[in-house]
Amino acid sequence: MSEKASLLPLPEELYLRSLTGRLVGENLFDGFKKVAVITYPDRICSAMASSALTSFSYYTGYKDRVGAVFVYDENLRSEVRKIVDENFDAVYIAFGGEQKLSIVNQATLETLKLLRDSGYKNALAIHVRIWLATKQFSTVLSDESLRRWLESLPEIRVFTADLNNKKFLFHRVRIVDGKPVLNTFREALLTDEHVSLLKRSIPPPE
């Protein structure tokens, strides 16, 4: 765990994740029936995971087995096996709260390889910090085996922020000639408070 996650104190970081998770669960997960969230085992990532699933369960309906949280740790291989066996129709990878971007990139690559090797074949959704840490997915797509697997998935989604226009943008990702192409399917307006928190929440230095 990093000693200093951002310019924000921890309570504001957690509140920021509650606001972001509210919009992720409503928009990024829209149309899914059962979502598995893989989170880094730190406070901020865990807050993001729980808030996104809370929002999703509100919009999709409060019922059994609407989602589950899995942790990136030494047991991840067996956890990924559970995701495949239980046939979640989407996996959301939520890394980046308290970790350096280089660690987020490494964890993302490892997680994607485990999903591939375990035979996961459904939709994938990723957090904006992963998009940044992987340099817009370039570190992922440079691995030919991962690229082919990602091309085989029915859908990849990501959200990004346009803070100047106070929006989250929700995209479907197509891989064309080995590069990601974003197709925006929805926008969500952000409050002034949300924008202010996002501007002050930055990854820890390398």
Side-chain angles (χ1 to χ4, degrees):
M1 184 179 296
S2 63
E3 294 181 358
K4 184 173 178 57
S6 82
L7 299 177
L8 292 177
L10 179 62
E12 288 186 278
E13 285 283 8
L14 297 176
Y15 178 53
L16 168 59
R17 268 53 183 198
S18 73
L19 298 175
T20 298
R22 154 72 169 76
L23 297 176
V24 166
E26 177 187 3
N27 297 287
L28 192 68
F29 296 175
D30 186 40
F32 297 144
K33 296 179 180 178
K34 185 178 175 183
V35 177
V37 179
I38 302 176
T39 185
Y40 207 92
D42 64 36
R43 300 164 297 181
I44 295 175
C45 287
S46 298
M48 177 68 206
S50 60
S51 63
L53 276 183
T54 298
S55 174
F56 178 60
S57 67
Y58 174 81
Y59 285 101
T60 197
Y62 177 67
K63 55 191 175 184
D64 291 337
R65 304 181 66 80
V66 71
V69 176
F70 300 87
V71 175
Y72 174 85
D73 61 14
E74 65 276 5
N75 299 312
L76 184 60
R77 183 177 297 276
S78 61
E79 295 292 88
V80 166
R81 188 67 253 169
K82 291 178 186 176
I83 292 172
V84 174
D85 291 345
E86 295 179 23
N87 198 32
F88 287 86
D89 59 340
V91 168
Y92 174 52
I93 306 177
F95 297 158
E98 296 182 59
Q99 309 306 318
K100 299 175 182 179
L101 290 181
S102 59
I103 294 175
V104 174
N105 177 62
Q106 178 183 349
T108 300
L109 289 170
E110 182 180 348
T111 301
L112 292 174
K113 288 175 182 177
L114 286 175
L115 286 166
R116 176 200 63 194
D117 295 346
S118 297
Y120 181 74
K121 297 179 180 179
N122 295 333
L124 176 69
I126 59 172
H127 189 275
V128 61
R129 282 270 173 96
I130 289 176
W131 186 248
L132 296 174
T134 60
K135 300 178 181 178
Q136 292 73 48
F137 241 32
S138 64
T139 62
V140 175
L141 296 176
S142 65
D143 183 312
E144 184 177 353
S145 179
L146 274 180
R147 177 179 57 77
R148 289 198 305 268
W149 171 70
L150 289 167
E151 288 173 338
S152 74
L153 298 182
E155 189 173 15
I156 302 170
R157 297 183 185 183
V158 65
F159 74 99
T160 59
D162 179 354
L163 298 185
N164 289 333
N165 291 307
K166 300 180 181 180
K167 293 179 180 180
F168 273 165
L169 305 175
F170 298 89
H171 316 275
R172 292 184 176 90
V173 183
R174 292 187 303 116
I175 300 170
V176 179
D177 297 327
K179 296 181 180 180
V181 176
L182 300 183
N183 294 311
T184 305
F185 67 89
R186 188 170 299 174
E187 298 180 356
L189 293 176
L190 304 176
T191 64
D192 290 340
E193 178 185 44
H194 199 170
V195 171
S196 176
L197 290 168
L198 286 165
K199 286 181 176 179
R200 290 181 289 133
S201 176
I202 60 174
E206 294 293 331

